[in-house]
Amino acid sequence: MTARAMLNCGLTDLRLVRPRDGWPSDSAVAASAGAAVVIDNARVFATTSDAIADLTLVYAATARDRAMTKRVVTPGAAARELRAAVGHTCGILFGGEAKGLNNDDIALADHIITAPLNPGFTSLNLAQAVLIVAWEWHMAGIATPESDMRIPEDTRPATKEEMLGLFEHLEGALDQSGFFHVREKRPIMVRNLRNLFQRAQPTEQEIRTLRGVIASFLHRMTPKKD
Amino acid sequence: MTARAMLNCGLTDLRLVRPRDGWPSDSAVAASAGAAVVIDNARVFATTSDAIADLTLVYAATARDRAMTKRVVTPGAAARELRAAVGHTCGILFGGEAKGLNNDDIALADHIITAPLNPGFTSLNLAQAVLIVAWEWHMAGIATPESDMRIPEDTRPATKEEMLGLFEHLEGALDQSGFFHVREKRPIMVRNLRNLFQRAQPTEQEIRTLRGVIASFLHRMTPKKD
């Protein structure tokens, strides 16, 4: 699950210190759900010191109060610092709080990462902790628009001419249906309807669908009796 | 695992639509690792429409291209929008891409949430997707300092007077040890050492430890022969 969370976020260098259940591990391969590149390239070390010897900047992820004097950062802050540490080889230590990362491991780290979770329920498994930190690292390095309109490839946003065609088609139909029977209210109702459809930001295809809807009503309508 | 991820991030209102493995579920209780409040209060619905009937703002989390015209936002942007939607009852739809959330479910949502993961490996399980979105929601609502110096409760940062005491103790010892044998370099070396210990931001306790270290050297030193 850790390998999977890493690869989701573009991280591939997994280092294991004395893995409890041995290595290689068939159950790790199964849980990785296809993140084979991470599993296959994982390296096993006898000690935490060996595992981090070539790194220059190391964070340790822990939520427990270790009674140490050490700088603590959020996952987001750590992500931005790691991204800014150009030219440094960096690593993050993860491990079970009880039997994994001990205080000697933590003492090897430059800083601590703590996710400020719901104080009433902070229990995270290791892969979830990795996912949160890796996610922040990933997001700190990509420029994705926060919001975007997704449109199927076979269509495009409607032009204003197409919108106007829809409006006039609809308003003409509503003139026939008697919807605008209070004449002085027609302008405001037209504006409201136009705003509503404008807000929906229809595609060219949807304009055709809407005009089909109107045409179907018109087809079934009996002529208005004045 | 979803209940656990939710409670980690302070979310408790879980609604299930036709759960595949039935409900209540002993395996769900076991996997929740103590997030009983979420499991116990989960409500089961026959349809997605029933599950969201009382909500006014609904997002659907999906990474798959659904060939729909719909606004897509990142988990972070959704989190900020949800936090800003004061007075609205909001919900987020999650489900397996293949057999869970179908296009009719997606069509009921106002917006789509997509996590812009590593394009080469986007496979997330449901609880991981929930964790990412819930984490962003949680972080958008709390004011945690990004970085903080953690200090054990039984000590405090050293005062400048204590720092100066350490500096003078050390420099006096180094005068005796012959460390400053190139006299004209003494001022720059003193500055470097002071900067180093200043950067470490020692606690009062650590100052005492360091002075003990110096004293132990002094104790063992033979008088300098000039």
Side-chain angles (χ1 to χ4, degrees):
Chain A
M1 293 296 285
T2 291
R4 187 176 175 177
M6 287 175 63
L7 193 56
N8 280 148
C9 300
L11 294 167
T12 53
D13 186 1
L14 175 61
R15 303 174 180 198
L16 301 165
V17 178
R18 292 190 306 281
R20 186 190 57 193
D21 300 329
W23 196 263
S25 156
D26 287 343
S27 61
V29 171
S32 75
V37 61
V38 179
I39 298 282
D40 294 346
N41 294 322
R43 282 173 284 169
V44 176
F45 295 86
T47 67
T48 305
S49 310
D50 290 345
I52 66 173
D54 62 322
L55 308 181
T56 58
L57 178 59
V58 173
Y59 291 75
T62 178
R64 183 176 285 189
D65 183 0
R66 302 286 187 152
M68 290 185 198
T69 302
K70 224 171 184 69
R71 184 170 163 270
V72 180
V73 297
T74 62
R80 288 181 287 280
E81 291 170 12
L82 286 162
R83 289 285 181 179
V86 177
H88 290 260
T89 47
C90 307
I92 307 169
L93 299 174
F94 291 90
E97 298 277 8
K99 292 179 181 169
L101 275 189
N102 63 37
N103 284 356
D104 292 332
D105 297 320
I106 304 280
L108 295 172
D110 297 285
H111 312 293
I112 285 174
I113 301 177
T114 297
L117 296 169
N118 172 11
F121 190 74
T122 57
S123 157
L124 269 185
N125 77 16
L126 198 143
Q128 289 171 317
V130 170
L131 179 61
I132 286 177
V133 174
W135 162 258
E136 290 284 355
W137 183 84
H138 176 65
M139 291 306 286
I142 60 171
T144 301
E146 291 223 318
S147 157
D148 200 11
M149 186 61 77
R150 185 177 294 167
I151 288 187
E153 281 188 12
D154 54 357
T155 186
R156 54 165 178 76
T159 64
K160 291 304 171 198
E161 185 179 23
E162 287 160 349
M163 290 296 286
L164 209 64
L166 169 71
F167 295 158
E168 288 169 355
H169 193 174
L170 175 64
E171 292 150 15
L174 294 176
D175 279 326
Q176 287 191 44
S177 76
F179 180 80
F180 294 127
H181 66 275
V182 185
R183 295 303 297 170
E184 62 273 30
K185 287 201 175 163
R186 190 180 189 280
I188 178 87
M189 296 181 99
V190 161
R191 269 201 304 278
N192 287 348
L193 285 167
R194 288 185 172 197
N195 269 329
L196 177 96
F197 284 104
Q198 196 72 66
R199 213 159 54 227
Q201 296 187 263
T203 61
E204 173 273 332
Q205 200 171 59
E206 288 167 337
I207 294 284
R208 279 188 280 125
T209 302
L210 288 169
R211 295 195 65 162
V213 168
I214 298 164
S216 76
F217 287 135
L218 280 173
H219 182 69
R220 286 291 185 164
M221 248 155 43
T222 49
K224 189 168 62 158
K225 291 165 195 148
D226 302 88
Chain B
M1 294 295 287
T2 291
R4 188 176 176 178
M6 286 174 63
L7 193 56
N8 280 147
C9 300
L11 295 167
T12 53
D13 186 1
L14 175 61
R15 302 174 179 198
L16 302 164
V17 178
R18 292 190 306 282
R20 186 191 56 194
D21 301 329
W23 197 262
S25 156
D26 288 341
S27 61
V29 171
S32 75
V37 61
V38 179
I39 298 281
D40 294 346
N41 294 322
R43 283 174 282 168
V44 177
F45 295 86
T47 67
T48 304
S49 309
D50 290 345
I52 66 173
D54 62 323
L55 308 181
T56 58
L57 177 61
V58 173
Y59 291 75
T62 178
R64 184 175 284 191
D65 183 1
R66 303 286 187 152
M68 291 186 197
T69 302
K70 225 174 184 69
R71 185 169 161 271
V72 181
V73 297
T74 63
R80 288 182 286 280
E81 292 170 11
L82 286 161
R83 289 285 181 180
V86 176
H88 290 260
T89 48
C90 306
I92 307 170
L93 300 174
F94 291 91
E97 297 277 9
K99 291 179 181 170
L101 274 189
N102 63 36
N103 284 355
D104 291 333
D105 297 320
I106 304 280
L108 294 172
D110 296 285
H111 311 294
I112 285 174
I113 301 177
T114 297
L117 296 170
N118 172 12
F121 190 75
T122 57
S123 157
L124 272 183
N125 76 17
L126 198 143
Q128 289 170 316
V130 170
L131 179 61
I132 286 177
V133 174
W135 162 256
E136 291 284 353
W137 183 84
H138 176 65
M139 292 306 287
I142 60 171
T144 301
E146 291 224 319
S147 158
D148 201 10
M149 185 62 75
R150 185 178 294 167
I151 289 187
E153 279 188 13
D154 54 359
T155 187
R156 56 165 177 74
T159 63
K160 292 304 172 199
E161 185 180 23
E162 288 159 349
M163 290 297 284
L164 208 63
L166 168 70
F167 295 158
E168 289 169 355
H169 194 174
L170 175 63
E171 292 149 15
L174 294 177
D175 279 327
Q176 288 191 45
S177 76
F179 180 79
F180 295 128
H181 65 276
V182 185
R183 296 301 299 171
E184 61 272 30
K185 287 203 177 161
R186 189 182 189 281
I188 178 86
M189 297 182 97
V190 162
R191 269 201 304 276
N192 288 348
L193 285 166
R194 289 185 173 198
N195 271 329
L196 178 96
F197 285 103
Q198 198 70 67
R199 213 160 54 228
Q201 296 187 261
T203 62
E204 173 273 333
Q205 200 172 60
E206 288 167 337
I207 295 283
R208 281 188 280 122
T209 301
L210 287 169
R211 296 194 65 159
V213 168
I214 297 164
S216 75
F217 287 134
L218 281 172
H219 182 68
R220 285 292 184 163
M221 245 156 44
T222 49
K224 188 168 61 154
K225 292 165 194 151
D226 303 272

